[in-house]
Amino acid sequence: MTYAQVGVIGAGTMGAGIAFVCARQGHNVLLLDMNEAVLKKAQSYVASILAKDVSKGKITERQKEEIYERISPISDMQKLYGCDMVIEAVPERLELKKSIFSSLANICREDTLLLTNTSSISITEIAGGIKSPERIIGFHFFNPAPVMPLIEVIRGKKSSDENVEKAYQFAENLGKVPVLVNDTPGFIVNRVARPYYNEALRITGDQVASIEQIDTIMKKAGGFKMGPFELQDMIGIDINFATTESVYTNFFHEGRFKPSRIQQRMVQAGSLGRKSGEGFYEYSE
């Protein structure tokens, strides 16, 4: 199953990774972002992944060029009109996502599948009031998208069985492992993961142990590949904080999901992790 045209909205780290995953599987991709600098950075990101794959013998030089050429950067949403499916990967803001899907519902064909990469926002709420809500499905990749195998395929209240099945099959086509989820705050992974981050933040806030100690313990004794602070830095502390806020709000302020002031202050300071050069750890270029 190869779609003639796949649109990806948002050329940040996640959007660029999703575009690469689709192009790697033979799909032609229109990568949309209004920021020219972000688009160029996304192209550099894809080029760096491909160069590493060539150096490791995973692909040939010709395959590298073919994959790279399948991704076309654009800045005009109207150009997505011919897409078979569109994947939205913009920041976790409900009104922004609703605005995008409202536009897509008018721009795209009636049979175009509309997927949102949200990590925690209700699919039902995103689709609420949008024309043809049956084709809006949650399609949650994990960071880094080219590497992480899981995709949560989330059914909204009005998502049709046919479109959910199409999304599930597309995830398999991308070489991923899809898991079908009903629409619930945080879905599966981010709901389960909240205590991993929140308790680690409480422990360091109570000065029981240092950030480095907590990460080391969780890796050595817990068997995790990354400690909770390393993982927050990789994901983006702003994204992690927004997800916690969303889960907390949608569970009617249930105490176990309460966000941390430590994260809030770091977001306010612009210390967002790897992407900003500093977070719980410092990173050099």
Side-chain angles (χ1 to χ4, degrees):
M1 177 179 65
T2 301
Y3 287 90
Q5 199 81 265
V6 176
V8 177
I9 300 179
T13 301
M14 184 58 77
I18 292 170
F20 169 76
V21 169
C22 293
R24 182 174 60 187
Q25 293 303 114
H27 306 291
N28 294 315
V29 181
L30 294 178
L31 179 59
L32 172 72
D33 204 288
M34 303 304 175
N35 189 320
E36 189 67 30
V38 172
L39 282 171
K40 288 182 179 179
K41 187 175 180 179
Q43 289 177 289
S44 297
Y45 172 71
V46 170
S48 68
I49 297 174
L50 290 169
K52 288 178 183 177
D53 284 349
V54 170
S55 68
K56 293 177 181 178
K58 293 181 178 179
I59 59 173
T60 64
E61 190 70 32
R62 182 176 177 179
Q63 287 172 319
K64 180 188 83 169
E65 293 172 2
E66 289 174 348
I67 294 170
Y68 186 81
E69 288 172 1
R70 288 190 196 116
I71 301 174
S72 301
I74 62 171
S75 56
D76 181 3
M77 189 179 289
Q78 294 292 331
K79 291 183 178 180
L80 299 175
Y81 72 93
C83 287
D84 299 286
M85 65 170 53
V86 178
I87 305 168
E88 166 272 311
V90 303
E92 291 286 87
R93 298 201 297 271
L94 174 62
E95 291 310 314
L96 174 60
K97 292 179 185 289
K98 286 185 72 71
S99 174
I100 287 171
F101 282 104
S102 180
S103 297
L104 289 174
N106 292 315
I107 292 169
C108 297
R109 301 190 315 260
E110 291 185 1
D111 63 340
T112 301
L113 201 59
L114 305 179
L115 308 177
T116 172
N117 181 56
T118 182
S119 60
S120 62
I121 298 175
S122 166
I123 310 306
T124 302
E125 192 169 11
I126 290 173
I130 306 297
K131 184 172 70 175
S132 303
E134 71 278 356
R135 57 178 169 158
I136 299 177
I137 314 290
F139 205 69
H140 182 212
F141 288 81
F142 292 82
N143 191 24
V147 176
M148 299 296 282
L150 182 68
I151 292 180
E152 290 178 316
V153 178
I154 306 111
R155 179 198 300 272
K157 183 176 177 59
K158 294 189 177 181
S159 304
S160 72
D161 291 343
E162 179 185 359
N163 287 328
V164 170
E165 180 60 25
K166 284 181 181 178
Y168 191 93
Q169 289 179 2
F170 183 58
E172 290 184 321
N173 169 265
L174 294 178
K176 299 297 186 180
V177 179
V179 176
L180 186 58
V181 185
N182 287 323
D183 195 10
T184 185
F187 315 131
I188 296 175
V189 174
N190 271 313
R191 181 172 173 180
V192 170
R194 288 313 97 195
Y196 187 57
Y197 304 119
N198 286 351
E199 282 305 317
L201 286 159
R202 290 188 186 103
I203 289 169
T204 193
D206 291 343
Q207 299 183 337
V208 175
S210 69
I211 288 167
E212 292 83 357
Q213 286 173 324
I214 295 167
D215 276 350
T216 299
I217 288 168
M218 295 311 297
K219 288 187 292 184
K220 298 295 184 183
F224 290 86
K225 289 186 177 180
M226 299 182 74
F229 296 102
E230 291 174 313
L231 193 51
Q232 287 176 73
D233 275 1
M234 186 187 75
I235 293 168
I237 295 168
D238 55 335
I239 294 171
N240 194 285
F241 181 63
T243 300
T244 302
E245 282 190 308
S246 175
V247 173
Y248 180 60
T249 298
N250 284 289
F251 271 107
F252 302 104
H253 300 144
E254 192 168 321
R256 61 192 169 124
F257 297 120
K258 186 176 181 179
S260 166
R261 288 192 180 89
I262 295 173
Q263 273 190 325
Q264 183 186 48
R265 286 197 297 269
M266 294 183 75
V267 172
Q268 291 168 342
S271 300
L272 308 180
R274 289 182 178 275
K275 62 185 175 184
S276 68
E278 64 167 344
F280 292 107
Y281 298 94
E282 292 188 4
Y283 303 90
S284 58
E285 291 294 334

